[in-house]
Amino acid sequence: MWCLVAVTAIAVAAVAVLVVRNRALGVKKRQTEVALTQKLEAAERQVALSRAELKKFSDGQDAAIEEAEQAAEESTKTVLKGAARFLQSLAAEQTALLDNIQRKYGGHPVLADLLEVNHANAQMARKAQGIAVMCGAPLGRRKQAASVYDVVRSAMGQIRNFHRVEIMQQSGIALKPSAVAPVALAVAEILDNAASFSQHDAPIEVTFQRVQKNVCIVIDDAGVGMSDEDRQKASALLSGDDVTRLSQLGTQPKFGFPVVGLIARQYGFKVDVTGFSRYGGVRAVVLLPEELWTMEETPPPATEAPVSSIRRVESGEQTVARTVHGLPKRGERKAPVASVAGTGGGVSGAGTPRRGSRSGGGLGALQRGTLEGRDLDASKPEGSEEA
């Protein structure tokens, strides 16, 4: 009996000791956990502080790099803009000189060579103008509207393979003065791109369409087309949302689509190259909103000047030949020359020799188109036009 009581007492004492010990261990564990939690929170605060300082340093470095790149970009643009303007002025002087020579010696055989030089000069002027636009220079501005047909013809004269471009119809629509220069440059770049990525004898067709209140210049080529990736890149460039830096153009820069996208955003028209032409190439559409165009004014019909008199060309005193019986002999008949009032006694085109060859006629047409295109290009810088 007493043994059982002793065992019970010992067991109760052991349980009490275990309980006390467990409680002590629990308290110590909680104390240790609190200490470790405090240390972990301190370490996390230190890490967050370090991350904040690293982000601040990184942002500062990025800002410094961005500022340096922007400064380098602006410096490059300033230099290129000055060089492009200088080239444009030289091209304008050369164009004026060549135009004067063409007008003065229009019938001379050297005209064909002069037209080739003038055409090459027009291409150089377009490239210089594109570089200037990429560098922030404004485009010129005309004082008068110009028909869409003439604007496209002017753009044709600024590309290499102009003979492949065919304008399918007249439009009866004119561009407002502020839209002539940007649309001409955009169409020229698109035509040049179409001619560069197609065979040398493939046609390039230009048509005009009115869609609701918009006017579309549609350019269809027979080139190799573009992949979906290329179309996406072209659409991004033509949208003008992201301004392309000069450093992103590569070692062989292509200014075409970046220039078109930039001026399209500035002047409020759209360019799309995601369509397919009927030849399997690319269909480019230049969409002009109603703010940029108007209906072309129909000029009054030209009235012919009245013929004041019909006279014969006399050359000094002429002796009348007579027969042995004293009657006058019939001499060689002379062609009458019409004297038109207001011409100062000038001789009409009856005495001008006609060109018998087709090449001569085509050369004359090219000359007339070149001179008309120069009239479109004779625009003043932006802001110089009177309000």
Side-chain angles (χ1 to χ4, degrees):
M1 179 73 180
W2 288 106
C3 293
L4 181 61
V5 171
V7 171
T8 303
I10 294 171
V12 171
V15 170
V17 171
L18 289 175
V19 170
V20 172
R21 185 174 179 180
N22 286 337
R23 288 180 179 178
L25 290 176
V27 171
K28 187 175 181 181
K29 179 182 178 182
R30 286 193 294 271
Q31 292 176 350
T32 304
E33 288 179 350
V34 169
L36 291 176
T37 302
Q38 292 177 350
K39 290 182 179 180
L40 180 60
E41 291 177 351
E44 289 178 348
R45 288 194 297 269
Q46 186 67 29
V47 170
L49 183 61
S50 300
R51 287 178 178 176
E53 292 180 353
L54 180 61
K55 187 176 184 303
K56 183 178 179 180
F57 178 78
S58 178
D59 292 343
Q61 290 293 322
D62 292 341
I65 293 174
E66 180 71 18
E67 184 178 358
E69 290 180 351
Q70 189 67 26
E73 182 80 5
E74 294 299 326
S75 300
T76 305
K77 284 185 176 181
T78 302
V79 174
L80 283 180
K81 184 176 7 178
R85 285 303 191 192
F86 180 71
L87 290 177
Q88 283 184 285
S89 64
L90 290 180
E93 293 177 6
Q94 186 174 353
T95 298
L97 177 62
L98 292 173
D99 288 345
N100 291 333
I101 294 175
Q102 290 176 24
R103 289 187 174 96
K104 186 175 181 180
Y105 305 104
H108 198 277
V110 79
L111 174 63
D113 296 333
L114 288 179
L115 289 178
E116 291 292 337
V117 175
N118 204 354
H119 184 220
N121 185 68
Q123 297 176 64
M124 181 182 68
R126 175 177 62 84
K127 290 295 186 182
Q129 188 179 33
I131 296 174
V133 168
M134 282 293 296
C135 296
L139 285 171
R141 183 172 181 175
R142 286 169 51 87
K143 291 186 176 180
Q144 295 180 352
S147 69
V148 178
Y149 183 86
D150 289 339
V151 170
V152 175
R153 286 186 61 193
S154 174
M156 286 172 52
Q158 301 177 39
I159 69 171
R160 184 184 301 273
N161 297 314
F162 65 92
H163 59 277
R164 293 167 47 194
V165 182
E166 183 178 1
I167 306 176
M168 305 306 293
Q169 87 270 17
Q170 293 280 352
S171 65
I173 297 170
L175 294 181
K176 294 182 178 180
S178 60
V180 172
V183 173
L185 180 58
V187 172
E189 293 293 347
I190 295 173
L191 289 176
D192 182 68
N193 186 78
S196 300
F197 292 94
S198 59
Q199 296 180 358
H200 66 280
D201 56 348
I204 301 173
E205 295 181 354
V206 181
T207 56
F208 308 110
Q209 298 178 9
R210 288 187 60 180
V211 181
Q212 299 179 358
K213 295 183 179 181
N214 304 317
V215 171
C216 296
I217 303 175
V218 182
I219 302 171
D220 291 324
D221 66 45
V224 297
M226 292 191 295
S227 63
D228 293 338
E229 183 180 358
D230 292 337
R231 291 179 188 275
Q232 293 177 359
K233 291 181 180 179
S235 298
L237 292 174
L238 293 173
S239 66
D241 295 334
D242 297 329
V243 179
T244 305
R245 290 186 174 183
L246 297 177
S247 57
Q248 297 174 343
L249 296 177
T251 56
Q252 295 181 350
K254 296 180 180 180
F255 292 93
F257 282 176
V259 169
V260 175
L262 184 61
I263 60 179
R265 186 188 63 175
Q266 290 177 353
Y267 291 90
F269 60 92
K270 297 180 180 179
V271 181
D272 178 79
V273 293
T274 59
F276 296 88
S277 71
R278 61 176 180 172
Y279 301 108
V282 175
R283 165 168 286 187
V285 179
V286 182
L287 189 145
L288 308 173
E290 59 179 341
E291 295 81 10
L292 300 181
W293 63 273
T294 183
M295 295 306 299
E296 188 176 0
E297 296 181 359
T298 304
T303 57
E304 295 183 358
V307 179
S308 60
S309 62
I310 302 296
R311 59 185 177 84
R312 296 180 181 274
V313 179
E314 304 291 341
S315 57
E317 295 292 333
Q318 296 183 354
T319 59
V320 181
R322 295 182 180 274
T323 64
V324 294
H325 301 287
L327 299 175
K329 289 184 177 180
R330 178 176 294 178
E332 182 181 357
R333 189 172 182 178
K334 298 178 180 179
V337 179
S339 175
V340 181
T343 58
V347 180
S348 69
T352 303
R354 297 183 60 184
R355 294 179 180 268
S357 62
R358 180 177 299 181
S359 61
L363 194 59
L366 176 59
Q367 182 189 15
R368 290 192 299 272
T370 302
L371 296 180
E372 291 178 5
R374 296 292 168 260
D375 294 336
L376 282 179
D377 294 338
S379 55
K380 291 185 178 182
E382 192 75 47
S384 62
E385 182 181 355
E386 297 179 359

